[in-house]
């Protein structure tokens, strides 16, 4: 077993709202059949990979939980826990709105109305600290959401991470997680 452990973030599979370019945020939208197939495909890739995964954690939103359970079924893992800190960036009254066909400026104006990016990154980083502290030395798969993953990894790596595709696997550099704990802009995690 890797003494420092690994963490990999996975965005949930496709939902109908993803397909329709509707803003999901924290609204609990289920996977569609394409999303279930994406989860199965990534699960098979992970199973064929060199890393043995020990723990599976998820956002409590159903699209993430179902993705995690599909992955766990292939890897022989039960969902260990859901973590509220992994919920997608909230957009309040804008959730459910269509972003299809909007110009970049209009899209950015809507996205700016959501939960502040800095808060999402802090919440995501704190959640990863709690998960790692709860599973020291273990290899952990974390199923979450696109904006949360992108914003958290951007802060950890000190550079803008690109958009995360459905069921994309994004490794977390554990040294970046250690460095983040030492900075003032990232809160210390609290007990789960």
């Amino acid at each position: 077993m890797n003494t420092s452990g690994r963490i990999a973030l996975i965005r949930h599979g496709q939902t109908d709202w993803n397909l329709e370019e509707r803003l999901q945020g924290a609204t609990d939208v289920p996977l569609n059949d394409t999303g279930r197939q994406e989860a199965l495909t990534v699960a098979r890739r992970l199973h064929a990979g060199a890393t043995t995964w020990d723990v599976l954690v998820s956002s409590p939103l159903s699209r993430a939980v179902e993705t995690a359970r599909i992955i766990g079924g292939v890897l022989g893992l039960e969902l260990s826990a859901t973590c509220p800190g992994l919920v997608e960036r909230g957009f309040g009254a804008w959730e459910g709105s269509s972003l299809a066909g909007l110009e970049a400026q209009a899209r950015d104006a809507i996205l700016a109305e959501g939960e502040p990016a800095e808060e999402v990154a802090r919440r995501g980083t704190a959640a990863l600290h709690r998960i790692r502290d709860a599973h020291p030395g273990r290899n952990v798969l974390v199923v979450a959401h696109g904006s949360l993953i992108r914003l958290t990894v951007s802060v950890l790596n000190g550079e803008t991470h690109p958009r995360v595709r459905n069921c994309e696997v994004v490794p977390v550099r554990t040294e970046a997680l250690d460095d983040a704990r030492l900075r003032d802009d990232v809160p210390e995690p609290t007990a789960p």
Side-chain angles (χ1 to χ4, degrees):
M1 175 171 32
N2 184 335
T3 56
S4 63
R6 293 181 181 189
I7 296 177
L9 296 165
I10 303 172
R11 183 181 178 195
H12 61 80
Q14 185 187 77
T15 69
D16 286 343
W17 281 21
N18 289 143
L19 188 61
E20 297 164 4
E21 295 185 53
R22 291 172 65 191
L23 191 57
Q24 290 181 118
T27 301
D28 201 4
V29 179
L31 290 182
N32 62 22
D33 288 339
T34 298
R36 291 179 188 96
Q37 186 58 50
E38 290 170 335
L40 189 57
T41 298
V42 75
R44 289 175 178 154
R45 260 195 352 257
L46 289 165
H47 184 66
T51 302
T52 299
W53 297 100
D54 306 308
V55 179
L56 183 60
V57 178
S58 171
S59 155
L61 296 180
S62 65
R63 60 191 181 265
V65 169
E66 186 175 1
T67 300
R69 288 191 172 135
I70 292 168
I71 291 169
V74 172
L75 298 180
L77 294 174
E78 292 290 324
L79 181 59
S80 298
T82 59
C83 179
L86 297 172
V87 169
E88 180 60 297
R89 181 181 185 186
F91 291 97
W94 287 104
E95 292 183 13
S97 299
S98 177
L99 301 177
L102 292 180
E103 292 191 22
Q105 187 176 10
R107 183 182 286 249
D108 291 346
I110 291 171
L111 297 179
E113 294 294 318
E115 180 183 2
E118 301 80 21
E119 291 302 316
V120 176
R122 285 181 199 206
R123 182 165 51 82
T125 301
L128 293 180
H129 279 263
R130 284 191 300 276
I131 290 165
R132 187 180 64 179
D133 291 349
H135 306 285
R138 310 292 304 273
N139 294 328
V140 184
L141 290 173
V142 178
V143 181
H145 306 273
S147 291
L148 179 122
I149 293 170
R150 182 179 55 78
L151 294 169
T152 301
V153 171
S154 292
V155 164
L156 291 176
N157 292 341
E159 61 187 31
T160 303
H161 191 82
R163 183 178 185 278
V164 180
R165 296 179 319 276
N166 290 106
C167 284
E168 181 178 346
V169 178
V170 180
V172 173
R173 294 183 315 107
T174 53
E175 61 275 8
L177 200 51
D178 292 334
D179 291 345
R181 181 168 271 172
L182 302 175
R183 296 196 318 259
D184 291 337
D185 61 335
V186 179
E188 280 294 311
T190 58

